[in-house]
Amino acid sequence: MKVHSAHLIPPRTKVKLKHVSCDDTGKYTDEDAAKVDLAKHRDCIDKYQEVLYAGGERGVLIVLQGMDTAGKDGTIRHIFSGINPQGCDVTAFKVPTPLEAHHDFLWRCHNAVPARGKIGIFNRSHYEDVLSPRVHGLMKDKTAKQHMQQINDFESMLVDNGIAILKFFLHISPEEQKRRLESRIEDSSKHWKLSASDFAERKFWPDYQRYYEEIFTATSHKHAPWFVIPADNKWYRNVAISRVLAETMEGMKLEYPAVTVDVASLKL
Amino acid sequence: MKVHSAHLIPPRTKVKLKHVSCDDTGKYTDEDAAKVDLAKHRDCIDKYQEVLYAGGERGVLIVLQGMDTAGKDGTIRHIFSGINPQGCDVTAFKVPTPLEAHHDFLWRCHNAVPARGKIGIFNRSHYEDVLSPRVHGLMKDKTAKQHMQQINDFESMLVDNGIAILKFFLHISPEEQKRRLESRIEDSSKHWKLSASDFAERKFWPDYQRYYEEIFTATSHKHAPWFVIPADNKWYRNVAISRVLAETMEGMKLEYPAVTVDVASLKL
């Protein structure tokens, strides 16, 4: 994958999230210019998605991770509304069901990977397995390392089988999360989004950040890179992610498939 | 379901498709006015879809059927691009795989029904099972009748469990199909859509229409109605279908769920 992005984590890089800006806006000084570019990226993604679908040979998997309120749902809404839903599958991973918990942690994710021809979006993902259990002392470091190696093997296999993988960490500051939670409390139309656990998990912030840093170091690869996206500004988050996706799809050099029928022989 | 539409097939009605206009445009004399209404319907669907998703109690299943080139893909693209893909799952049913064919014909459809909180779109559906095999003399009338009863039972069960069902037949004329196939031949960027079977199946047109008529009589119900949508004009097809869906979702009286957490107790 040849994507140039200031937010790309090169392989085997140690990341200190507290040194990465949450409110960087790159080359943009205001929202309007970013919106123009977002619209261009969406058109581009939509165009290549049709070719992806027609070809049925390649797929794209987008992994979205981030702290609660980081904007995973909003990213999906703002970038992918406008894309043909027939070529785009979204899977939101919640606490594993009893059935899912009776399988290895990759089972439910494997089941949800995009088919060839599709863009698949994971709203949370297999990376949850090496986050929350570690934060709560339910997984040893050695097990977590094994799981990260298993994730690497799994993703390599997918890439070798035609699926491009892009992984985005939506990087918000604890202050921004506080503002967003407060706004959910103040706005009764957002009360359905309130979860007591979001508030409880806040006190584990440094642990989550530390384990995310380990994930980036261990699982960012040229073929399946992580991007740490400054996400305090929703509009920058959207344009930064859409740019990476649009450029990646452009770089895939997708083409409409060769005709398999003898067009001249078709009679009406 | 209280949807008023000139295209609704009342229960137990005998339909003669050749007497139903394919190029009716209802109250619209031109495309521009229809586009304005389509945009309104899309906004309305988008708004209610968020409430549907928040509530997680109800779902909506949309079944799209029609002759080849009738515009099932185009309907999805034009109505549902713009809807949050996280709340919208599309399943395109093809020739059954060996695994699917080893199960009853409803198995793969049941697996794909929308979860509560979602809009699910079937691009072709369980109705294919009582069409193509009949046209090709592979299914007895008695078996087809049994299958249609099984479909009725299946759909009743879904409705009783909170899933609203809307079924649309995209009604095109054989002349319009001819034009569309010709345009696919002429435009090399559409060659990937060409299938020799589309041309071969054309000669069975009257049989397909006849078996569709039987389907409408046997399986249109107040709780799971069929709509025969004039579809020679794509713009009218889009506005007619989006209207039924928007009005149905409005009529569901969806509400944001009650708050389950004690908002006052949430501490930051």
Side-chain angles (χ1 to χ4, degrees):
Chain A
M1 210 113 54
K2 291 176 205 157
V3 176
H4 303 283
S5 167
H7 310 305
L8 174 73
I9 307 297
R12 292 177 302 280
T13 307
K14 286 209 184 296
V15 182
K16 276 285 166 201
L17 280 173
K18 67 178 174 185
H19 298 149
V20 180
S21 165
C22 294
D23 61 3
D24 178 28
T25 58
K27 68 176 183 182
Y28 300 99
T29 50
D30 72 283
E31 189 171 345
D32 290 344
K35 280 191 171 166
V36 172
D37 281 359
L38 173 61
K40 281 184 201 161
H41 299 156
R42 282 169 52 150
D43 287 348
C44 179
I45 295 164
D46 189 46
K47 183 179 74 178
Y48 288 119
Q49 192 227 27
E50 183 170 303
V51 192
L52 190 78
Y53 190 81
E57 297 275 335
R58 309 284 311 274
V60 177
L61 172 60
I62 294 158
V63 171
L64 298 177
Q65 286 286 155
M67 303 297 287
D68 296 319
T69 79
K72 300 177 287 292
D73 295 314
T75 298
I76 296 169
R77 161 171 277 280
H78 285 95
I79 299 179
F80 295 96
S81 294
I83 309 294
N84 188 344
Q86 184 154 236
C88 181
D89 292 327
V90 182
T91 307
F93 292 99
K94 316 267 183 189
V95 175
T97 64
L99 176 64
E100 289 170 350
H102 269 72
H103 287 271
D104 68 87
F105 76 104
L106 291 170
W107 181 76
R108 64 176 183 163
C109 299
H110 205 157
N111 186 53
V113 296
R116 295 189 178 100
K118 296 243 192 172
I119 296 176
I121 303 166
F122 282 6
N123 183 345
R124 303 188 188 270
S125 67
H126 40 295
Y127 288 99
E128 290 294 324
D129 184 74
V130 285
L131 280 165
S132 180
R134 300 191 78 184
V135 167
H136 296 288
L138 301 169
M139 181 180 277
K140 290 179 182 167
D141 289 350
K142 190 183 160 190
T143 309
K145 281 202 175 69
Q146 280 178 336
H147 280 211
M148 288 193 279
Q149 184 52 48
Q150 290 158 4
I151 287 173
N152 284 336
D153 293 343
F154 172 62
E155 293 182 355
S156 287
M157 180 277 292
L158 292 181
V159 170
D160 287 347
N161 282 276
I163 308 298
I165 302 179
L166 298 169
K167 302 178 286 195
F168 299 97
F169 174 70
L170 280 46
H171 185 35
I172 57 167
S173 60
E175 297 75 28
E176 177 64 17
Q177 188 193 52
K178 186 163 181 282
R179 282 190 290 273
R180 293 186 185 183
L181 288 172
E182 280 167 350
S183 104
R184 287 187 186 177
I185 290 176
E186 282 155 23
D187 179 353
S188 64
S189 82
K190 289 182 180 169
H191 278 184
W192 67 276
K193 288 185 178 179
L194 283 171
S195 149
S197 75
D198 289 1
F199 290 76
E201 291 298 294
R202 249 177 84 75
K203 63 175 180 285
F204 300 107
W205 191 280
D207 297 318
Y208 273 104
Q209 302 280 301
R210 179 157 59 92
Y211 291 126
Y212 264 118
E213 289 166 357
E214 278 193 29
I215 284 172
F216 304 144
T217 307
T219 68
S220 197
H221 300 284
K222 204 176 162 192
H223 60 269
W226 273 105
F227 300 85
V228 174
I229 302 290
D232 275 5
N233 295 294
K234 296 173 182 177
W235 57 267
Y236 182 70
R237 170 201 76 199
N238 295 336
V239 76
I241 294 175
S242 63
R243 187 172 86 78
V244 170
L245 178 56
E247 289 185 2
T248 298
M249 294 187 78
E250 188 166 26
M252 287 168 77
K253 308 215 176 301
L254 300 163
E255 285 182 14
Y256 282 102
V259 188
T260 53
V261 294
D262 177 7
V263 176
S265 75
L266 296 174
K267 297 221 173 61
L268 281 163
Chain B
M1 210 111 59
K2 293 175 205 157
V3 176
H4 302 283
S5 167
H7 310 308
L8 174 71
I9 306 297
R12 291 176 303 280
T13 309
K14 287 211 183 294
V15 183
K16 276 285 165 201
L17 280 173
K18 65 179 174 184
H19 297 150
V20 180
S21 165
C22 295
D23 62 2
D24 178 27
T25 58
K27 68 176 184 182
Y28 301 99
T29 50
D30 71 282
E31 188 172 345
D32 290 345
K35 280 191 172 167
V36 172
D37 281 358
L38 173 61
K40 280 184 202 160
H41 299 156
R42 282 168 52 150
D43 287 347
C44 179
I45 296 164
D46 189 45
K47 182 179 74 178
Y48 288 118
Q49 191 227 27
E50 183 170 301
V51 192
L52 189 78
Y53 190 80
E57 297 276 336
R58 309 284 311 275
V60 178
L61 172 60
I62 295 156
V63 170
L64 298 177
Q65 288 284 158
M67 302 295 287
D68 295 320
T69 78
K72 299 177 288 295
D73 295 315
T75 298
I76 296 169
R77 159 170 279 279
H78 286 94
I79 300 179
F80 296 97
S81 295
I83 308 295
N84 188 344
Q86 184 155 236
C88 181
D89 292 327
V90 183
T91 309
F93 292 99
K94 316 267 183 189
V95 175
T97 64
L99 176 64
E100 290 170 348
H102 270 71
H103 287 270
D104 67 86
F105 75 105
L106 290 171
W107 180 76
R108 62 176 186 162
C109 299
H110 205 157
N111 187 52
V113 295
R116 296 189 178 100
K118 295 242 191 173
I119 297 175
I121 303 166
F122 282 7
N123 183 344
R124 303 187 187 272
S125 66
H126 40 296
Y127 288 100
E128 290 294 324
D129 183 75
V130 284
L131 280 165
S132 180
R134 300 191 79 184
V135 167
H136 296 289
L138 302 170
M139 180 180 279
K140 288 180 183 168
D141 288 351
K142 191 182 160 190
T143 309
K145 281 201 174 71
Q146 281 178 336
H147 279 210
M148 287 193 278
Q149 185 52 48
Q150 290 158 4
I151 288 174
N152 284 335
D153 293 342
F154 172 62
E155 293 183 357
S156 288
M157 180 276 294
L158 293 180
V159 171
D160 287 346
N161 282 276
I163 307 298
I165 303 179
L166 298 169
K167 303 179 285 195
F168 299 98
F169 175 70
L170 281 44
H171 185 35
I172 57 168
S173 61
E175 297 75 27
E176 177 64 18
Q177 188 192 53
K178 185 163 183 281
R179 281 189 290 273
R180 294 184 184 183
L181 288 172
E182 281 168 349
S183 105
R184 288 186 185 178
I185 290 176
E186 282 156 23
D187 179 352
S188 64
S189 82
K190 291 182 181 170
H191 277 184
W192 67 277
K193 289 185 178 179
L194 283 171
S195 148
S197 75
D198 290 359
F199 290 76
E201 290 298 294
R202 247 177 86 75
K203 62 175 178 287
F204 299 105
W205 191 280
D207 297 318
Y208 273 104
Q209 302 280 301
R210 180 157 59 93
Y211 293 124
Y212 265 118
E213 290 166 354
E214 280 193 30
I215 284 173
F216 303 145
T217 306
T219 67
S220 196
H221 301 283
K222 204 176 163 190
H223 61 268
W226 272 106
F227 300 84
V228 174
I229 303 290
D232 274 6
N233 295 295
K234 295 173 182 177
W235 56 268
Y236 182 71
R237 171 200 77 199
N238 294 337
V239 76
I241 293 176
S242 63
R243 187 172 85 81
V244 171
L245 178 57
E247 290 184 2
T248 297
M249 294 187 78
E250 189 165 26
M252 288 169 77
K253 308 216 176 299
L254 299 163
E255 285 181 15
Y256 282 102
V259 188
T260 53
V261 295
D262 176 7
V263 176
S265 76
L266 297 174
K267 295 219 176 61
L268 280 163

